[in-house]
Amino acid sequence: MFYIKEDQVLKVKYSEYLKLVGSLSKLFSDSLVPYLYYRVAENIFCLAFKAENLSRSDVAIDAVKNNIGFGLKTFLHNNGKTFQKIAEFNALREEYKDKSDEEIVYFISEARNKRLDLSIEIYNCHKLIYHCLTRSENKMSIYEFPMDLVDIKNIKNIKRDKNSIKFTDGLNEYNFNLSKSTLFKRFICKKSIADITIDILAEPYDSLLSLQSTSQNLLTKSTNYPFVYLPLYAPSSKDFEPALASGINQWNAKGRKRDPNELYIPIPSWIHKRFINFFPNNNDEIFDLILPNGNKLSSKMSQSGQKSLMSDPNKALGKWILRDVLKVPEWTLLDRDYLNKIGIDSVIVFKLSDTEYKIDFASVGKFEEFKEQNDI
């Protein structure tokens, strides 16, 4: 597993960060069980171990380092045998609502596996791991488990329990909550990899005040690159469907012989108005688009009003998105059902400089959330 083999200096740093944050638990609760918000746990892991934080992408994994993808989880230890959420499938509710219990289990299992396969491909992962922090009185404990695909051929013991369906595949126990469209997995935490003692401060507010008074140099600016979300579907579509002959299905356009990898990512006009100079205001400037696997594509704006993002040559971006990542067969239209199943319908683009951008996939609904946040 990852933690045992990791550099000792980084493991000490990880432990110290957790001790520090855990010591402030009385800011939130009087319990002796340390408080740790899951986003903080993710940030600490990535900071200490110098892993890439994927929280903005909201894909099936939370971080990646050395071709290992991580699902990062923190939860109360309790009896050491608890079900924890591993995936949500709200966008697929209409597709499974009329299916039998057995059909739902197979449908959701296939969707879960597609999302894991997608993460493996996007980030060139050789292994997927759950890194878990359980919390008990004055202690955090580290456990790691393989992040297995559901072994669909060996699914058995499908049992309906009120509003959930439990099943096993011989490797793991699962529980699919129908009302929340959420898949849970049982984590059996017996022997920990490491235990971290947490000394909870009795008066955390006083400690924070003394920290502020002893050094004003502790407040430093973090580096945040500007970013925008872009849809993989037609922005004007009321049902959020990809266009049949443009955007990610540009290869299907008429007029000339097309390459099956031709596509562009649409850029709504309000993006240029709200985020002035984020993208070049012409179609001549070439910039590097960095993929999640580290590869770079020469790219540019295209069409009037710079309403699309494409690679140069055009088919390079399409090959990566359609063939390498999404595994869509050539000459096959990409539709909303497929986007819902893989849990991705948009991308996030970071501007690192005028000549360098970074792109990653984002989960279903992220572009619409971004649109609402900008009062569009």
Side-chain angles (χ1 to χ4, degrees):
M1 285 298 181
F2 168 80
Y3 183 84
I4 293 175
K5 298 178 181 179
E6 189 61 348
D7 184 273
Q8 183 63 29
V9 173
L10 300 185
K11 289 196 286 188
V12 169
K13 183 179 289 189
Y14 184 53
S15 176
E16 291 303 312
Y17 286 158
L18 291 172
K19 287 179 180 179
L20 179 61
V21 172
S23 72
L24 301 174
S25 294
K26 283 207 171 182
L27 291 173
F28 313 100
S29 167
D30 289 329
S31 173
L32 292 177
V33 177
Y35 176 85
L36 184 63
Y37 182 57
Y38 77 98
R39 287 296 188 202
V40 176
E42 293 169 358
N43 291 338
I44 287 175
F45 179 91
C46 293
L47 180 63
F49 293 118
K50 301 178 182 179
E52 183 178 358
N53 194 327
L54 305 179
S55 59
R56 282 199 186 276
S57 303
D58 200 19
V59 287
I61 56 179
D62 303 304
V64 64
K65 180 181 179 180
N66 297 338
N67 302 111
I68 301 175
F70 297 92
L72 304 174
K73 309 200 73 64
T74 179
F75 46 89
L76 297 176
H77 190 84
N78 293 326
N79 64 359
K81 299 179 181 179
T82 61
F83 278 102
Q84 300 296 324
K85 181 177 76 172
I86 60 171
E88 292 184 2
F89 299 94
N90 288 315
L92 297 178
R93 192 188 300 271
E94 290 300 311
E95 293 187 52
Y96 71 71
K97 68 176 184 179
D98 296 324
K99 295 181 182 292
S100 68
D101 291 352
E102 184 173 344
E103 288 172 333
I104 290 173
V105 165
Y106 281 94
F107 179 78
I108 292 300
S109 296
E110 289 173 359
R112 169 63 174 168
N113 287 354
K114 277 186 176 293
R115 294 184 183 184
L116 290 180
D117 285 337
L118 194 70
S119 294
I120 290 170
E121 187 61 51
I122 294 172
Y123 302 104
N124 193 28
C125 295
H126 300 160
K127 184 188 297 184
L128 299 180
I129 292 174
Y130 284 113
H131 178 91
C132 303
L133 284 170
T134 70
R135 293 172 280 118
S136 51
E137 283 195 8
N138 295 110
K139 185 172 69 175
M140 294 186 191
S141 300
I142 299 172
Y143 297 85
E144 288 184 339
F145 308 94
M147 189 186 296
D148 302 308
L149 274 70
V150 181
D151 188 352
I152 294 177
K153 291 182 180 179
N154 288 315
I155 288 176
K156 55 187 176 182
N157 298 334
I158 299 173
K159 297 178 181 178
R160 181 69 169 262
D161 180 14
K162 294 183 179 179
N163 200 37
S164 65
I165 307 173
K166 292 182 179 180
F167 64 98
T168 180
D169 65 350
L171 295 173
N172 298 287
E173 293 179 67
Y174 296 96
N175 187 351
F176 183 63
N177 186 294
L178 293 163
S179 62
K180 297 179 180 179
S181 298
T182 300
L183 182 64
F184 294 80
K185 186 186 94 72
R186 189 188 292 280
F187 287 85
I188 301 177
C189 303
K190 292 182 178 178
K191 186 176 181 180
S192 63
I193 297 173
D195 295 316
I196 302 168
T197 300
I198 306 296
D199 295 320
I200 299 175
L201 294 170
E203 301 293 343
Y205 293 99
D206 291 342
S207 298
L208 289 174
L209 282 173
S210 65
L211 182 66
Q212 183 185 40
S213 62
T214 55
S215 176
Q216 293 296 322
N217 295 324
L218 293 173
L219 302 177
T220 59
K221 291 184 178 179
S222 61
T223 301
N224 291 310
Y225 294 110
F227 64 90
V228 298
Y229 285 93
L230 301 176
L232 291 177
Y233 50 90
S236 58
S237 171
K238 293 182 179 179
D239 52 7
F240 311 124
E241 281 283 352
L244 293 176
S246 60
I248 55 176
N249 291 319
Q250 186 193 26
W251 57 266
N252 195 42
K254 308 299 181 184
R256 62 174 173 81
K257 185 177 180 180
R258 300 276 178 174
D259 188 284
N261 293 321
E262 282 189 55
L263 65 67
Y264 64 83
I265 298 174
I267 304 176
S269 59
W270 68 264
I271 293 282
H272 292 301
K273 294 175 183 176
R274 186 59 59 89
F275 299 91
I276 299 171
N277 297 326
F278 182 90
F279 288 114
N281 60 5
N282 62 75
N283 296 343
D284 299 320
E285 292 184 44
I286 302 296
F287 52 85
D288 285 331
L289 189 64
I290 304 173
L291 307 183
N293 59 17
N295 293 338
K296 295 181 180 181
L297 297 181
S298 179
S299 303
K300 63 178 183 177
M301 298 290 97
S302 67
Q303 302 190 44
S304 61
Q306 291 72 57
K307 65 181 182 180
S308 62
L309 168 62
M310 64 167 48
S311 61
D312 184 20
N314 172 272
K315 61 185 179 181
L317 184 60
K319 179 182 181 301
W320 175 66
I321 292 177
L322 296 176
R323 312 295 165 237
D324 297 345
V325 176
L326 302 187
K327 306 297 185 185
V328 181
E330 289 187 356
W331 314 112
T332 301
L333 287 169
L334 196 58
D335 60 13
R336 167 49 62 173
D337 286 346
Y338 191 81
L339 293 178
N340 285 343
K341 195 160 191 176
I342 62 176
I344 286 172
D345 72 356
S346 52
V347 296
I348 183 170
V349 180
F350 296 91
K351 183 175 183 177
L352 309 185
S353 70
D354 287 339
T355 58
E356 205 169 47
Y357 294 75
K358 187 174 183 180
I359 189 171
D360 207 337
F361 290 95
S363 61
V364 168
K366 282 295 184 181
F367 174 72
E368 295 305 318
E369 289 179 19
F370 182 64
K371 190 174 176 182
E372 289 181 13
Q373 290 166 1
N374 285 279
D375 298 323
I376 303 302

